[in-house]
Amino acid sequence: MPELEAAPAASAAAVAARAPASLDEFLAGIGTRAFRFAELGLRQREDALDVVQDAMIRMLAYRERPSAEWTPLFWSILRSRIVDAQRRRMFRLRWLVPEPAHDDGSAIDWADDGPDPSRTHDGREAYGRLADALGTLPRRQREAFSLRVLEELDVATTARAMGCSEGAVKTHLSRARDALKKHLDDWQ
């Protein structure tokens, strides 16, 4: 699993190295990661795009807040929008159509700027396996893992974004890591 954590670490560290000058710059820098987070939670590309766009629009109301507050605030808003979308989908599907047993299995759309095809393939396969494994986790464990490990937020920021205590974040993260380790053990 260390190789799965190394790739997002480089990009997240570069973004964290300097604070964004404006909210527009902040939103531009967080868009792709927010989309992946939403897609993992919703498992549908169109719904994920809608939720991220809505979260970004809602962030515009907080333009005057200090830039240090934008990260936990954005992730909190996005998380709430994802939960709302999941609830709406569950309500609609409950009485309109029986919920499908499995997703359609379509590949995740990747923007590929890398020159090495084998590395790109390995990255796609690793992300796909991680996404599948994260999909088996309960929602709170998936959120804790995504925010702490993939987004590299600290425990306090993650707790604020998730609306729970720091101890709950640590518990969810520990359980998520244990489950992911069991799920991904055969793949390493």
Side-chain angles (χ1 to χ4, degrees):
M1 249 190 46
E3 31 318 311
L4 296 178
E5 295 174 9
S11 63
V15 171
R18 79 174 175 81
S22 69
L23 183 60
D24 295 334
E25 183 181 335
F26 170 77
L27 294 175
I30 204 166
T32 303
R33 296 188 330 259
F35 169 71
R36 288 186 180 156
F37 181 78
E39 190 176 40
L40 286 172
L42 295 171
R43 298 185 185 120
Q44 293 202 354
R45 180 180 173 80
E46 292 78 20
D47 290 345
L49 288 169
D50 289 344
V51 163
V52 171
Q53 182 180 13
D54 189 44
M56 288 183 170
I57 289 170
R58 288 177 186 259
M59 272 300 292
L60 295 177
Y62 301 102
R63 181 178 299 259
E64 302 305 318
R65 293 248 180 125
S67 62
E69 293 180 14
W70 291 344
T71 300
L73 184 59
F74 176 77
W75 288 110
S76 179
I77 291 170
L78 180 61
R79 194 184 132 285
S80 295
R81 302 306 305 145
I82 291 170
V83 169
D84 290 346
Q86 289 169 333
R87 287 179 181 156
R88 276 193 310 273
R89 183 188 308 153
M90 236 172 56
F91 176 74
R92 276 190 233 128
L93 291 177
R94 190 177 310 144
W95 64 276
L96 285 177
V97 179
E99 191 169 326
H102 299 287
D103 289 342
D104 63 357
S106 61
I108 296 173
D109 185 24
W110 283 75
D112 183 14
D113 297 330
D116 184 7
S118 67
R119 188 171 181 184
T120 301
H121 172 72
D122 292 346
R124 285 181 181 171
E125 185 177 355
Y127 182 77
R129 287 190 180 261
L130 179 61
D132 290 343
L134 283 171
T136 64
L137 295 178
R139 180 179 56 87
R140 301 290 280 178
Q141 290 179 17
R142 182 176 57 246
E143 291 171 353
F145 183 84
S146 297
L147 292 173
R148 281 286 292 132
V149 175
L150 301 180
E151 293 303 321
E152 296 182 341
L153 299 181
D154 59 23
V155 175
T157 305
T158 303
R160 282 189 302 191
M162 291 179 62
C164 62
S165 69
E166 292 181 19
V169 169
K170 292 176 184 178
T171 300
H172 290 308
L173 181 60
S174 174
R175 290 178 181 165
R177 283 185 170 155
D178 289 344
L180 290 173
K181 184 175 178 159
K182 289 176 188 172
H183 194 275
L184 297 173
D185 217 11
D186 64 327
W187 182 68
Q188 293 181 15

